[in-house]
Amino acid sequence: MLGFLKKPVVVTAEINVNLVALTVMGLISRLWGLSYPRAVVFDEVYYGQFVSLYMKRIFFVDDSGPPFGHMLLALGGYLGGFDGNFLWNRIGAEYSMNVPVWSLRLLPALAGALCVPLAYQILVELQFSHCAALGAALLILLENSLITQSRFMLLESILIFFILLAVLSYLKFYNLQKHSSFSGSWWFWLLLTGVSCSCAVGVKYMGLFTYMLLLAIVGLHFWHMIGDQNLSNVSLMCHFLARGLALIIIPVAMYLSFFYVHLTLLYRSGPHDQIMTSAFQASLEGGLARITQGQPLEVAYGSQITLRNVLGKPMQCWLHSHTNTYPIRYENGRGSSHQQQVTCYPFKDVNNWWIVKDPGMQQLVVSNPPRPVRHGHIVQLVHGITTRYLNTHDVAAPLSPHSQEVSCYIDYNISMPAQNLWRVEIVNRESDTDVWKTIMSEVRFVHVNTSAVLKLSGASLPEWGYRQLEVVGEKLSKGYHQSMVWNVEEHRYGKSQEQKEREVELHSPTQMDISKNLSFMAKFTELQWKILTLKNEDTEHKYSSSALDWITLDTNIAYWLHPTTGAQIHLLGNVVTWASANIAALVYMCLSLWYLIRRRRKIYDVPEDAWQLWVSAGGICVGGWAVNYLPFFLMEKTLFLYHYLPALTFQILLIPIVLQHLSDHLCRSLLLKSMFGALIVAWFSSVYFVYCTFSPVTYGEPSLSVTELKDLRWKDSWNILIRKQ
């Protein structure tokens, strides 16, 4: 029974020494001196703010992309015990002792280091030689720009890691397809492809480009499978469903999970709340939630309300009035009604309160039981403090002459009767009998007499209007626009009929004990829409550049400068590698065109298997470069050199592919092969030489003299920082 103990237990394993050595070298190149400099480096000033907000559980919105990358950076801070207390206000600011610099920079550095063995494995899976794979890995290892970008609290190295992992996973899955379909390893690599794609998109939307490329390649491969007569219809359907599950359903579910974790972690109110709807703000702890918690849900006749414009642009604001009137004549000579001004005011104020009145009754209090206002009901809106009625008439608005003026009616005993009836239209209603609800309902107010819609024009009034925002009656109201939509933010049931008592009531805070929470999908939809549509004003940056500048490396970015010495860090590529990558791409495209023309003439210069290898490698590398580079020509945003790094990575992988192809198929004689090998050695030596030359501005040490810094300015367009003596 215990016979198995008579023999020793033996475990055998195959170790790829190349892979181990490359991984170690990658870790050394990215992790060495990671805490230096102990100061804020370039965009660390941007991402660090979000890390601090994660540590404090404060909600924020970043319009640059999804939250997964930010959460990974925050994970580094969490593991290092960061409390979030640091003022991220200046590049070059020295980190205080409570900031775990090494921990914050660790995950980007690890991701950058692992890109080296990933490059090696990708070329092996593409069926190229281990020598070519080793060359690709070493080029990634010695690329100065990739080293710089991965040594700080930035996202590009994490993005590139997931992109390469997705490509490698799919190649492994595809190579298993022929003999191990639906095996454990087959499923593992297929699922990992989808997971990696989702993570890439979750870090930055740039990851979507590679995801789309892989889906196109998957579709092409599946199209070829359909033509395989050895596969049954059932087998094809299983393959289709497996790919749909792993490459679409799971990535979508993971993408949603990133937001779920993000919203779960950030449950406290913060400085970014104001761009969200009232319902979203009310779901956060503190802030608006403290004010609105437990307000009456249904708006009734007699309700006291504040009305917030849903658009939130150019800033959040509330329907407002005050005792001042419109000037009799505007600066351009046009006349006004001289009625009481109605504006949209961007601050909380007692003059933001309005009372919902039943036109058929005089009372301004809520009856018992309350009579709720429903979609389609006619109401009057009475300004709480001045008791004047919201009104509009056929008088041009002060700044929008094609729209009607909105005012609070003053009876001057002239031939201008009050027109103060408004129809409530609930935009997001489920039925035509829906009740107008606090926070949840988005409503339009349609003027009964003129059919004009109450709208925020967004224009800022002159001094006589205290620079508040103009509100108008929009006559052409066919389309739906958020500037025409309002929601009740603060709400109480009015109890005081007397004006003095009512004013005291309006000044007191609202507080009842009912809670209103949005579902996750409602919060996700709103947050996702804000990320996609909320764009900061793009301003010209000192180090911004155009996409054309990237190919020839005509630009650089100064990341950090020592406050006293000449030590500095630049995002600057290895010139030899960048030039070689461009040449490799050009050679690939020219050779491919030549081969296609010759094959059309039934002339086959390379064997069929070599041709298929050449095409598949190009689909990955040239395709990866194109989809990660060309879209930037269509983007209206401030661009920087680091945006090119994912495309560059694919282009670098192409270099050894082209070199091996030239060696195998164009160098026919032994002499040519020897000469070509010698050229490759000389070329690679130059890559290493440039890496060493620019290492001081890649790692920030040692400090260089003025003369040495001037010697590094190989191009006039490079901005190497030199202190004035």
Side-chain angles (χ1 to χ4, degrees), residues 634-649:
L634 305 176
M635 294 184 186
E636 295 181 0
K637 60 179 288 186
T638 305
L639 300 177
F640 295 93
L641 181 61
Y642 55 73
H643 287 128
Y644 186 59
L645 296 182
L648 173 71
T649 303

Side-chain angles (χ1 to χ4, degrees), residues 704-715:
L704 300 179
S705 65
V706 172
T707 303
E708 290 172 322
L709 287 171
K710 288 181 177 178
D711 290 340
L712 288 181
R713 193 177 181 186
W714 288 12
K715 291 193 174 188

Side-chain angles (χ1 to χ4, degrees), residues 407-422:
S407 61
C408 278
Y409 183 74
I410 302 174
D411 188 0
Y412 288 121
N413 204 18
I414 58 176
S415 58
M416 185 180 285
Q419 298 182 16
N420 52 33
L421 299 179
W422 300 86

Side-chain angles (χ1 to χ4, degrees), residues 124-127 170-180:
V124 170
E125 292 300 322
L126 282 170
Q127 311 303 321
Y170 181 72
L171 290 174
K172 282 186 170 290
F173 156 77
Y174 180 71
N175 289 334
L176 286 168
Q177 177 70 37
K178 297 169 186 176
H179 20 256
S180 302

Side-chain angles (χ1 to χ4, degrees), residues 49-113:
Q49 300 175 50
F50 302 130
V51 172
S52 287
L53 291 173
Y54 270 116
M55 297 301 104
K56 297 177 180 181
R57 303 294 189 266
I58 295 174
F59 175 77
F60 68 85
V61 179
D62 178 22
D63 63 1
S64 68
F68 182 56
H70 301 74
M71 288 193 290
L72 289 177
L73 297 179
L75 176 61
Y78 175 78
L79 295 175
F82 184 39
D83 56 10
N85 292 319
F86 182 77
L87 188 60
W88 307 88
N89 62 349
R90 180 173 61 86
I91 296 173
E94 188 173 342
Y95 283 121
S96 54
M97 294 308 297
N98 69 305
V99 181
V101 180
W102 190 87
S103 179
L104 285 169
R105 293 173 177 169
L106 176 61
L107 289 179
L110 287 175

Side-chain angles (χ1 to χ4, degrees), residues 439-505:
I439 292 178
M440 299 300 185
S441 294
E442 296 182 349
V443 302
R444 297 199 316 170
F445 296 98
V446 181
H447 191 237
V448 172
N449 297 77
T450 64
S451 297
V453 178
L454 190 69
K455 176 186 176 182
L456 169 68
S457 77
S460 184
L461 294 169
E463 289 293 337
W464 54 258
Y466 303 101
R467 302 293 179 188
Q468 295 173 18
L469 301 180
E470 182 190 41
V471 173
V472 301
E474 181 62 60
K475 299 176 184 177
L476 304 174
S477 56
K478 296 178 182 178
Y480 164 81
H481 193 269
Q482 287 186 322
S483 60
M484 302 177 182
V485 181
W486 307 79
N487 71 271
V488 173
E489 189 168 271
E490 296 180 68
H491 177 211
R492 65 162 67 86
Y493 283 162
K495 299 177 182 177
S496 305
Q497 185 68 33
E498 294 298 325
Q499 176 62 13
K500 288 186 178 180
E501 295 178 5
R502 191 184 307 120
E503 287 185 18
V504 173
E505 191 175 37

Side-chain angles (χ1 to χ4, degrees), residues 418-437:
Q419 298 182 16
N420 52 33
L421 299 179
W422 300 86
R423 184 171 66 255
V424 176
E425 291 187 354
I426 302 174
V427 175
N428 59 341
R429 65 186 181 276
E430 294 181 359
S431 71
D432 288 343
T433 59
D434 273 13
V435 174
W436 184 8
K437 295 178 181 176

Side-chain angles (χ1 to χ4, degrees), residues 231-399:
L231 293 174
S232 65
N233 292 339
V234 173
S235 179
L236 278 174
M237 181 56 67
C238 290
H239 278 285
F240 178 78
L241 293 176
R243 285 159 175 77
L245 171 67
L247 301 180
I248 296 177
I249 295 176
I250 288 179
V252 169
M254 283 195 63
Y255 184 78
L256 289 172
S257 72
F258 299 150
F259 280 87
Y260 183 83
V261 175
H262 174 76
L263 292 169
T264 301
L265 291 174
L266 306 184
Y267 59 87
R268 290 177 179 155
S269 173
H272 291 192
D273 295 7
Q274 296 181 355
I275 65 173
M276 309 305 288
T277 63
S278 301
F280 196 105
Q281 293 182 52
S283 70
L284 299 172
E285 181 181 292
L288 182 63
R290 290 181 299 176
I291 301 171
T292 61
Q293 182 182 11
Q295 294 179 150
L297 179 61
E298 296 184 348
V299 177
Y301 291 109
S303 285
Q304 299 169 356
I305 62 174
T306 64
L307 289 165
R308 179 180 187 263
N309 190 266
V310 170
L311 180 63
K313 292 180 181 179
M315 61 191 76
Q316 66 164 356
C317 62
W318 293 263
L319 190 67
H320 175 94
S321 187
H322 40 240
T323 55
N324 301 69
T325 59
Y326 291 109
I328 296 176
R329 290 205 173 273
Y330 300 124
E331 292 82 349
N332 59 8
R334 287 192 298 110
S336 80
S337 66
H338 199 46
Q339 299 283 334
Q340 182 173 302
Q341 295 174 19
V342 171
T343 66
C344 205
Y345 189 51
F347 301 99
K348 301 282 187 180
D349 189 85
V350 69
N351 279 312
N352 297 345
W353 284 92
W354 300 82
I355 302 170
V356 181
K357 179 181 174 298
D358 184 344
M361 302 180 68
Q362 291 302 313
Q363 68 179 36
L364 297 177
V365 296
V366 176
S367 60
N368 189 15
R371 293 186 299 122
V373 180
R374 299 181 183 275
H375 170 75
H377 280 193
I378 307 299
V379 301
Q380 292 171 312
L381 293 176
V382 183
H383 188 240
I385 296 298
T386 64
T387 68
R388 294 201 167 104
Y389 290 56
L390 186 71
N391 184 83
T392 188
H393 36 228
D394 193 16
V395 175
L399 301 180

